[in-house]
Amino acid sequence: GESVGLHLPTLSVQEGDNSIINCAYSNSASDYFIWYKQESGKGPQFIIDIRSNMDKRQGQRVTVLLNKTVKHLSLQIAATQPGDSAVYFCAETPNTGGFKTIFGAGTRLFVKA
Amino acid sequence: GAVVSQHPSWVICKSGTSVKIECRSLDFQATTMFWYRQFPKQSLMLMATSNEGSKATYEQGVEKDKFLINHASLTLSTLTVTSAHPEDSSFYICSANLRFTDTQYFGPGTRLTVL
């Protein structure tokens, strides 16, 4: 079955600090990974992606790290801002064709001003 | 670019009625669209994959006769919740892939409340 989170873990950080959000993925056949940000009542918003032939990718204020050995993905947000408060989901796309995406459980990020 | 819209953004209906939700890719063609359901404080759960011109592929446990999907063109997919019941109340989100790529763009979601 697909990943469905029953309770969202929460990360609370001070404004200006760095945030690290972790995710364990399930399918060793996945070759494409994406982080999404979802604000209340809205659809997911693409943040950054990484393919399985890489272990690190940087964007503006965000970095994604991929450890295929332990099937672990992390999202680092530098200098976290109040506008970063949202739920963050990792997602994986198995290389079985069809571009199907499976979402992880999600982490709620609270940024304290 | 790469905008996906959904209509309506919210809908309230009586139990037993059917509700249609539209998903449109506004500025690109999408051979594949996906439908997700999200309950409060939970993750997105994939319901089905909608391919233009062919039957949708449903995930295990999703009733195809209850959630009818039609993908009539490269820019439009519709999800019809038939004989809706209160337990169908949820946030329904669609996404569309840029043609022949794995880049997905998500719609803003539709909040369905069944009384």
Side-chain angles (χ1 to χ4, degrees), chain A residues 60-97:
Chain A
Q60 187 178 15
R61 275 203 312 121
V62 294
T63 301
V64 55
L65 299 177
L66 173 63
N67 185 330
K68 295 181 288 295
T69 303
V70 294
K71 293 191 283 187
H72 183 268
L73 201 63
S74 69
L75 176 70
Q76 300 177 2
I77 305 173
T80 314
Q81 302 168 1
D84 295 327
S85 294
V87 177
Y88 290 81
F89 293 99
C90 67
E92 58 183 301
T93 300
N95 60 354
T96 52

Side-chain angles (χ1 to χ4, degrees), chain A residues 2 32 34 36 43-44 91-94 96-103, chain B residues 4-6 21-25 28-38 44-52 55-59 62 67-71 73-79 91-110:
Chain A
E2 310 304 336
Y32 180 57
I34 317 102
Y36 290 98
E92 58 183 301
T93 300
T96 52
F99 308 122
K100 187 165 81 170
T101 298
I102 301 168
F103 277 74
Chain B
V4 176
S5 70
Q6 283 184 240
I21 302 170
E22 292 186 349
C23 176
R24 291 182 186 272
S25 57
F28 66 100
Q29 291 184 332
T31 35
T32 305
M33 290 183 171
F34 300 90
W35 286 97
Y36 296 84
R37 180 167 53 181
Q38 185 178 32
L44 281 74
M45 186 180 73
L46 180 65
M47 300 175 66
T49 302
S50 170
N51 293 298
E52 186 266 339
K55 290 184 178 180
T57 303
Y58 291 82
E59 294 301 304
V62 178
F67 298 100
L68 300 179
I69 291 172
N70 183 271
H71 194 151
S73 75
L74 286 170
T75 59
L76 173 64
S77 176
T78 60
L79 168 69
F91 194 49
Y92 291 86
I93 305 170
C94 73
S95 70
N97 273 46
L98 275 172
R99 206 168 183 185
F100 307 123
T101 75
D102 48 17
T103 306
Q104 278 194 41
Y105 297 91
F106 284 82
T110 296

Side-chain angles (χ1 to χ4, degrees), chain A residues 23-71:
Chain A
C23 174
Y25 64 93
S26 56
N27 194 333
S28 56
S30 293
D31 60 358
Y32 180 57
F33 305 89
I34 317 102
W35 279 100
Y36 290 98
K37 173 186 179 183
Q38 187 181 30
E39 296 174 315
S40 182
K42 297 182 179 180
Q45 175 188 353
F46 173 92
I47 299 175
I48 192 168
D49 59 359
I50 189 168
R51 298 203 177 270
S52 59
N53 60 350
M54 303 172 69
D55 53 22
K56 180 179 180 180
R57 189 158 189 238
Q58 288 184 291
Q60 187 178 15
R61 275 203 312 121
V62 294
T63 301
V64 55
L65 299 177
L66 173 63
N67 185 330
K68 295 181 288 295
T69 303
V70 294
K71 293 191 283 187

